[in-house]
Every structure is written in C-alpha cells, then in structure tokens.
Amino acid sequence: GEPLRNHHYRMAHKPKEKSDRAEAFAMARYALKEQPRPSFSAGAEFTRLQVAASRLQSFSKDLTRAINRLHNVLANVFPELAVEQRDLSAEWVLELLEKWPTPACLVKAGLARLKKIPYLGEEKAAIILGRARTSVGSLDGQVIEEVVQLLVREVRHLKQLKKSLEKLVVQAYGDLPPGHYHQLVTIKGIGELTAAVLTAKIV
C-alpha cells in the first residue's frame, strides 16, 4: 500500500507502540474493518510492458555510469578530447578510442588512418590529432591503453543492450489491447518509445 497512509493508520490505533507486531496489527485491522476494494489488475500485457520498461531504465542508468567512468579515465589520459567532443558515447569516438586509446597511439597512427573513421572527417581528425600532439594527459602505457579499450567496449555493449530493450518496449506497447493510452503517439513530440514508457509508469 502507501507507506505514509499505513503509518498514519498505525499511529491512530497504536500511537505509543512501534514494532513489527504493531504494524501487523494495523494492517490486519485495516483489512478486516475497512474492507478495501481489490487492487486494480492491469493484466499480463501491461506487466510485460512494465518489466521491459523497468529493465530499460536500469540499462540507461548503467550506460550513464559507464560513460562517466570512461570520461573520468580520459580526464587523465586525453582531457582535450572532451573539449572537442562532449558526447563520448558517439560511435566515432568509441571507434577512435578502441583503435587508438591514448594520444601517443593517435599520433603514431597519423592523419591518413584517423580520417577513415566513419563520421569523423578530415577536418575534425586533423584537430584531434593536433590536440593529441600537445596533450597534457598524465597517464599512458599499455595498461592504460587496455583500461580505456575495456571501458569503450563496456559502453558499446550497454548501448547495444539499451537499443535492443527499446525495441522490446515498443513491441510490448504495440501488443497492448485497445485503449486511450494508444492515443499518446498522436501528441506532437511523443514517439512510440516515450508513449510506451509513459504507459508503463502511469498504468
């Protein structure tokens, strides 16, 4: 039920007693005396949507934490990269860091190889290479290279899981029986994923 209402009900009948016994008494008395109406049953279709939406929320938080971990390490390895690109989860950034995880690796790779990264482009590649040559990063070496690569793989893995769960949430939303909640997608700016998550939380 609702913790605050349960607390008030217990205080009304057992104001000077705070124990498991008093809590149990209050709940039993409420059930017998008040005869509350049964809780609303949303149905299996809604339960499936809620489970998928809950997992999506969990993976979204995990992805944010993983990106923050990568950001924290890069602050001591290649801090200039975050100046040029705020979103370290961008696919071209992850591709770049998995191949050349430190400024020394980037300098060694050279411009010709950097500009082959999809969506990076020659101009941006030249800027990043120039930043790498003058980087003030204090961490380097094989261990750091492998740490960065592991963090990049973690971000990529979580991005893929999140994308897969988004598809499942939308699928579960589409499987719901006819109802007003399907009208959410008619609101400008609300797509199927947002409508599905709203439905999962509200219903």
Side-chain angles (χ1 to χ4, degrees):
E2 302 170 42
L4 185 59
R5 291 183 68 183
N6 292 345
H7 171 72
H8 289 162
Y9 191 86
R10 196 262 304 165
M11 287 294 292
H13 298 283
K14 293 279 186 177
K16 295 183 180 180
E17 186 178 346
K18 187 177 182 181
S19 65
D20 290 342
R21 183 183 180 88
E23 295 281 354
F25 169 82
M27 284 188 282
R29 188 184 192 285
Y30 178 81
L32 292 171
K33 294 289 186 181
E34 307 298 334
Q35 293 289 308
R37 297 175 66 180
S39 299
F40 169 72
S41 179
E45 299 95 338
F46 290 94
T47 302
R48 285 192 286 269
L49 174 62
Q50 288 168 344
V51 168
S54 175
R55 291 301 88 206
L56 175 60
Q57 183 179 20
S58 177
F59 276 121
S60 297
K61 290 179 180 178
D62 289 343
L63 177 59
T64 300
R65 295 186 190 106
I67 294 170
N68 288 341
R69 285 192 288 270
L70 176 61
H71 208 296
N72 290 339
V73 170
L74 286 177
N76 292 311
V77 176
F78 190 12
E80 296 81 4
L81 181 61
V83 175
E84 294 300 328
Q85 176 65 25
R86 283 193 166 189
D87 182 13
L88 295 182
S89 68
E91 196 54 40
W92 71 263
V93 176
L94 299 175
E95 181 75 16
L96 182 81
L97 290 173
E98 188 159 13
K99 289 184 175 180
W100 307 294
T102 65
C105 293
L106 285 167
V107 172
K108 190 175 180 180
L111 181 60
R113 297 174 71 186
L114 262 65
K115 67 183 183 181
K116 290 180 181 179
I117 297 289
Y119 307 108
L120 177 54
E122 186 171 354
E123 184 180 350
K124 191 82 168 178
I127 293 172
I128 289 174
L129 186 59
R131 292 282 196 173
R133 288 190 177 115
T134 59
S135 177
V136 296
S138 58
L139 294 178
D140 202 351
Q142 182 183 351
V143 171
I144 295 302
E145 290 172 16
E146 293 190 19
V147 167
V148 172
Q149 288 171 333
L150 285 172
L151 291 171
V152 167
R153 288 171 198 148
E154 181 188 22
V155 171
R156 277 184 151 172
H157 177 63
L158 288 169
K159 281 183 70 177
Q160 187 59 48
L161 287 176
K162 182 173 177 283
K163 191 174 181 180
S164 298
L165 269 168
E166 286 174 350
K167 291 180 180 178
L168 290 175
V169 168
V170 171
Q171 180 183 329
Y173 177 67
D175 291 341
L176 293 179
H180 295 306
Y181 35 79
H182 285 299
Q183 295 180 12
L184 285 169
V185 293
T186 66
I187 300 173
K188 188 176 180 180
I190 294 184
E192 285 188 313
L193 180 60
T194 303
V197 172
L198 285 172
T199 301
K201 295 295 182 183
I202 294 170
V203 174

